[in-house]
Amino acid sequence: PGEPVMPRARAASAPRPGRLATRSRQTTLGIVTFVLALAMYAGTAGATSAPTRAELAKAKKSLLVLSDMPKSWTASATSGGNSPTPNPAQVARCLGVPLSVVNDNPPTVSSRTFNSKQDLQTVEDQIEVFPTAKAAQADLAVAANPKAPECFTTDFNSPAARSQLESSFGSDAAIGKLEVTRTPVSDYGPHTVNITIYFPVTTNGVAINIEFAEVGFVKGNEEQLLTLSSVQSPFPASLSRHLTTLADERF
């Protein structure tokens, strides 16, 4: 709230769907999702218990499934592991939170990765289970921090972060300036907070634009996070609103 909103329309150049789009998604989703998710983390100091298997199994039933997606979409294995943020202490100082918040990683269940035709859009859904409702609410409050877009823009454009991201595309890749902001709340369902990143990448002489939006909301001691990614054009607002509303109703 209170953050300037970046326009959804982005300049596109030399679109080349298919293998390059797939590579973009596969090599960057884990990295970008992790750093964006840092803004969603909250400390769990004072926690007295971890979620049980039954709680995690129940949370998994709330995740989006392939039948929730448009008919032409397919599902693949989840993107899996995350890469550590290059500057955790800097991020923590900028956000005004303890370093333990940045390094926290609550128990999580994840959906499969859902892919549009030619992998131009993808969706992943995950639910983090906190010990208390207070901890989950505090986590979302960190995401809503007015400093979050500025802090992540600074972190993403640091030499360490840029080197990490460029290497995921290959030795000949060149990453343009990364912009972290918020997209309009009207693009999503109720009770949501989002953080969105845009960046251009050129590899093998082909330039593409990439957008990742992480959308979070809380119910009880659980926080649901949807990662919506797109190549060359913005993620359709009508689809993001449909999916986040559906997830909120099912949550």
Side-chain angles (χ1 to χ4, degrees), residues 45-80:
T48 58
S49 63
T52 65
R53 288 186 179 182
E55 287 177 303
L56 292 174
K58 181 180 178 181
K60 194 167 186 177
K61 292 181 179 180
S62 298
L63 295 170
L64 294 176
V65 295
L66 180 59
S67 59
D68 298 324
M69 305 296 137
K71 289 184 178 179
S72 61
W73 283 46
T74 59
S76 58
T78 187
S79 61

Side-chain angles (χ1 to χ4, degrees), residues 7-25 28 116-122 169 174 176 197-203 205-212 228-236:
R8 291 301 297 265
R10 311 297 293 174
S13 56
R16 182 185 173 187
R19 184 171 65 180
L20 183 58
T22 302
R23 184 182 181 194
S24 303
R25 172 178 58 81
T28 62
S116 72
K117 188 176 181 180
Q118 298 181 314
D119 287 332
L120 294 180
Q121 290 94 34
T122 65
F169 282 97
I197 178 171
Y198 304 98
F199 64 95
V201 57
T202 301
T203 181
V206 178
I208 60 174
N209 295 300
I210 298 176
E211 171 191 297
F212 287 89
L228 313 175
S229 66
S230 61
V231 176
Q232 286 302 102
S233 59
F235 196 95

